[in-house]
Amino acid sequence: MSTAARTEPARRAEPSLTLVTDRAREAGDGREPAQRHTDESYAGVLGFVRKLADRALEDLDSAIARDPAASSRVEVLLTSPGLHAIWAHRGTHALWSLPGGRLPARVLAQVSRFATGVEIHPGAQLGRRFFIDHGMGVVIGETAEVGDDVMLYHGVTLGGRSLAKVKRHPTVGNRVTIGAGARVLGPVLIGDDVQVGANSVVVKDVPAGAVATGIPAMIRFPKRDAANQWVDPAIYI
């Protein structure tokens, strides 16, 4: 078997939208979260408010899809510190890009950290339907970039290994799951559909579809099915 054949993972199904939609129908209005309104309906001030509401519902439904302990949108709205931290970050990130907004953004980020136990630098870029389960102890650095449909467990660090003012934090692809206590350090690239095992330490790029476990993390391509999309990757250790 060639090297390419060993390292090229088979492209698996993408169950995330299906899972989110099914759970959203149980908890809410039955429409797909990403399709409640067209882009044209977001024009103007009222459109902006509608967009914020749709994004909030999308986040709530995404959390319900990934957390079997969650029973309703109201419960998640009131009790999910990870979601609260993400919403706070969206405000501080918008403030971060404004002239004179960086100091207020950092201060508000510290308030959010105190309230939720999650530290997200205002400069970090987070995708849609991002979910932090439990929340406590998560740290996301300034130059980190996180894709869509990503899930982090508690104690995860997306940290840096350089003191230079450069891109020094990870870039995380879409549909990635990072287990409790894992450390992903430096400007590494975590490909789409990757799972990182609990307490693993990742310091090198991880190709799409792989499972990374251990200290330092070793890369494998085990067989998985769609039902394991949200399972803690600690099962692969």
Side-chain angles (χ1 to χ4, degrees), residues 95-111:
L95 189 58
W96 180 260
S97 63
L98 298 177
R102 294 200 166 192
L103 179 58
R106 289 298 305 271
V107 172
L108 291 174
Q110 289 303 302
V111 173

Side-chain angles (χ1 to χ4, degrees), residues 35-51 54:
Q35 296 179 346
R36 286 192 178 90
H37 296 95
T38 63
D39 290 340
E40 290 77 7
S41 69
Y42 292 139
V45 176
L46 291 179
F48 177 72
V49 173
R50 186 182 295 117
K51 181 177 182 178
D54 276 2

Side-chain angles (χ1 to χ4, degrees), residues 25 61 81 141 164 219:
R25 285 170 178 161
D61 293 340
I219 296 171

Side-chain angles (χ1 to χ4, degrees), residues 180-191:
R183 272 63 172 152
V184 185
L185 305 176
V188 298
L189 176 62
I190 308 300

Side-chain angles (χ1 to χ4, degrees), residues 57-74:
L57 289 175
E58 182 177 74
D59 289 335
L60 289 170
D61 293 340
S62 179
I64 290 171
R66 295 174 174 130
D67 185 358
S71 60
S72 70
R73 287 174 175 167
V74 173

